[in-house]
């Protein structure tokens, strides 16, 4: 057996540490890759039973913040994997906080979907609009704030957004909050000049449903974010109305939902198009405008796509498209 020389040992050591460096050192980028489709009833369940359960699906992508050097290099050779520099404001945010933020956004989107579907069907519902802390950046001046805290007032103004606008850049505002446990607190939060006059927090609209003629449960799920709002609204509308608009087809899509029915843009469009293709959906709804242009470009690069790509600006647009398919 040949013995390793000192020179050989040195090179072996260099190789070992080089491999470990590439596999473990993380860099400030974000990778977005195709994910999967998820049935809407895995997010929300109503006490409504139908033999023909409508088949609506959200499409999610896989996102990796601060990948290893190996993951970054491998991504360069993978189709439909997007590589972006991680924004300065997003650096230092833990994976746990990102997950909690996504859950807050998802739950808020579910409430908005319930409200939109109920009102579209003319069914009674009573709710109150609130504001939650959905993300905290590492430059925020108040370390005791937490994701999920409800903002009650800013400088005594219960119109939270107006209170924020009225706070002069470089000064602090008195933020009155209530924790998820019902504890009320008051903090001083600075609107920082060095950070484009931001407070260091992201605020999410939350709708507290107070009266509803049905009961529903939000199911535990690892998927977060508001991008399934449109599909949730379609599912609820179809289920509560007993309409069977999905016609046993796989209806998928993406887009946030607002209470007036407008569909908002989302990220990861190219990866969602590829996911829909792999899962062989029948219809894919995408927000009109820039999102649709991105989706169309990705769609045209697919080999023999089997689904119909439909741009929608509103919830009503999606309903009309489903009715048109039903008629045909």
């Amino acid at each position: 057996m040949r013995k390793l020389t000192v020179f050989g040992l040195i090179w072996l050591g260099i190789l070992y540490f080089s491999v470990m460096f590439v596999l473990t050192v993380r860099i400030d980028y974000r990778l977005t890759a195709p994910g999967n489709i998820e049935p809407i009833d895995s997010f929300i369940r109503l006490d409504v039973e139908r033999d023909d359960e409508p088949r609506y699906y959200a499409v999610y992508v896989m996102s990796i913040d601060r990948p290893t050097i190996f993951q970054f290099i491998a991504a360069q050779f993978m189709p439909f994997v997007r590589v972006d520099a991680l924004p300065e404001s997003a650096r230092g945010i833990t994976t746990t906080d990102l997950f909690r933020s996504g859950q807050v956004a998802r739950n808020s989107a579910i409430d908005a979907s319930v409200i939109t579907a109920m009102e579209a069907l003319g069914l009674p519902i009573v709710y109150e609009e609130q504001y939650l802390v959905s993300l905290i950046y590492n430059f925020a001046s108040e370390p005791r704030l937490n994701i999920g805290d409800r903002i009650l007032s800013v400088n005594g103004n219960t119109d939270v957004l107006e209170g924020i606008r009225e706070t002069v850049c470089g000064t602090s505002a008195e933020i009155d909050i209530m924790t998820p446990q019902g504890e009320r607190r008051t903090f001083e939060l600075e609107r920082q000049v060095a950070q484009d006059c931001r407070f260091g927090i992201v605020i999410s609209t939350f709708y507290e449903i107070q009266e509803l003629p049905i009961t529903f449960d939000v199911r535990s799920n690892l998927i977060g974010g508001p991008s399934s709002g449109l599909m949730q609204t379609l599912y609820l509308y179809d289920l509560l109305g007993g309409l069977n608009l999905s016609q046993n087809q796989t209806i998928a899509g993406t887009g946030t939902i607002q209470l007036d029915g407008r569909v908002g843009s989302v990220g990861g469009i190219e990866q969602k198009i590829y996911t829909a293709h792999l899962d062989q959906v029948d219809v894919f709804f995408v927000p009109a405008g820039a999102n649709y242009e991105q989706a169309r470009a990705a769609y045209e690069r697919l080999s023999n796509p089997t689904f119909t790509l439909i741009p929608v600006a509103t919830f009503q647009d999606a309903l009309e498209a489903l009715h048109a398919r039903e008629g045909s």
Side-chain angles (χ1 to χ4, degrees), residues 190-302:
E190 182 184 352
R191 193 167 189 177
Q192 301 185 33
V193 176
Q195 299 292 340
D196 298 325
C197 294
R198 290 181 291 179
F199 281 108
I201 61 175
V202 176
I203 298 175
S204 174
T205 304
F206 172 72
Y207 304 99
E208 182 181 31
I209 298 175
Q210 298 167 331
E211 294 182 25
L212 192 66
I214 59 172
T215 59
F216 72 93
D217 296 312
V218 177
R219 295 183 164 184
S220 297
N221 196 296
L222 296 178
I223 300 173
S227 64
S228 59
L230 169 63
M231 302 313 297
Q232 291 164 177
T233 308
L234 287 171
Y235 168 79
L236 293 167
Y237 183 90
D238 198 336
L239 180 65
L240 293 171
L243 304 173
N244 192 27
L245 293 176
S246 65
Q247 300 181 77
N248 297 319
Q249 293 186 321
T250 301
I251 311 297
T254 187
T256 63
I257 193 70
Q258 299 185 40
L259 295 192
D260 61 3
R262 284 180 295 164
V263 176
S265 61
V266 297
I269 286 294
E270 293 182 9
Q271 292 70 38
K272 290 178 180 179
I273 290 294
Y274 192 58
T275 300
H277 177 61
L278 292 176
D279 284 281
Q280 297 183 330
V281 306
D282 298 304
V283 174
F284 189 87
F285 289 116
V286 65
N291 268 179
Y292 173 66
E293 297 303 323
Q294 297 166 343
R296 189 72 200 178
Y299 182 83
E300 291 175 350
R301 293 199 300 271
L302 297 175

Side-chain angles (χ1 to χ4, degrees), residues 58-324:
V59 180
Y60 69 90
V61 298
M62 305 297 292
S63 181
I64 302 175
D65 281 3
R66 303 196 76 248
T68 64
I69 294 176
F70 173 77
Q71 290 171 323
F72 175 81
I73 294 173
Q76 312 300 317
F77 303 96
M78 295 180 180
F80 289 97
V81 175
R82 183 182 176 92
V83 179
D84 297 294
L86 197 64
E88 184 71 32
S89 59
R91 299 174 188 180
I93 299 176
T94 66
T95 302
T96 300
D97 280 353
L98 286 173
F99 175 76
R100 291 174 61 197
S101 176
Q103 295 296 293
V104 168
R106 186 204 64 182
N107 292 344
S108 298
I110 288 175
D111 290 327
S113 295
V114 171
I115 294 167
T116 304
M118 293 288 289
E119 292 183 337
L121 289 166
L123 300 175
I125 184 170
V126 178
Y127 61 92
E128 178 182 293
E129 186 174 272
Q130 301 176 357
Y131 295 96
L132 299 182
V133 176
S134 60
L135 191 60
I136 303 172
Y137 295 118
N138 55 12
F139 60 82
S141 59
E142 178 46 70
R144 294 172 296 169
L145 276 171
N146 291 293
I147 293 172
D149 286 344
R150 176 187 170 190
I151 300 178
L152 303 176
S153 66
V154 177
N155 285 333
N157 192 340
T158 55
D159 185 331
V160 172
L161 299 184
E162 183 177 292
I164 289 174
R165 287 193 297 267
E166 291 176 344
T167 304
V168 178
C169 185
T171 65
S172 294
E174 186 177 88
I175 310 290
D176 190 19
I177 67 103
M178 182 175 289
T179 69
Q181 295 74 34
E183 181 182 355
R184 192 160 179 166
R185 300 176 183 174
T186 300
F187 299 126
E188 292 286 330
L189 195 63
E190 182 184 352
R191 193 167 189 177
Q192 301 185 33
V193 176
Q195 299 292 340
D196 298 325
C197 294
R198 290 181 291 179
F199 281 108
I201 61 175
V202 176
I203 298 175
S204 174
T205 304
F206 172 72
Y207 304 99
E208 182 181 31
I209 298 175
Q210 298 167 331
E211 294 182 25
L212 192 66
I214 59 172
T215 59
F216 72 93
D217 296 312
V218 177
R219 295 183 164 184
S220 297
N221 196 296
L222 296 178
I223 300 173
S227 64
S228 59
L230 169 63
M231 302 313 297
Q232 291 164 177
T233 308
L234 287 171
Y235 168 79
L236 293 167
Y237 183 90
D238 198 336
L239 180 65
L240 293 171
L243 304 173
N244 192 27
L245 293 176
S246 65
Q247 300 181 77
N248 297 319
Q249 293 186 321
T250 301
I251 311 297
T254 187
T256 63
I257 193 70
Q258 299 185 40
L259 295 192
D260 61 3
R262 284 180 295 164
V263 176
S265 61
V266 297
I269 286 294
E270 293 182 9
Q271 292 70 38
K272 290 178 180 179
I273 290 294
Y274 192 58
T275 300
H277 177 61
L278 292 176
D279 284 281
Q280 297 183 330
V281 306
D282 298 304
V283 174
F284 189 87
F285 289 116
V286 65
N291 268 179
Y292 173 66
E293 297 303 323
Q294 297 166 343
R296 189 72 200 178
Y299 182 83
E300 291 175 350
R301 293 199 300 271
L302 297 175
S303 176
N304 299 319
T306 58
F307 63 93
T308 303
L309 182 65
I310 302 177
V312 292
T314 65
F315 166 62
Q316 188 63 38
D317 289 346
L319 286 182
E320 291 175 0
L322 290 175
H323 280 298

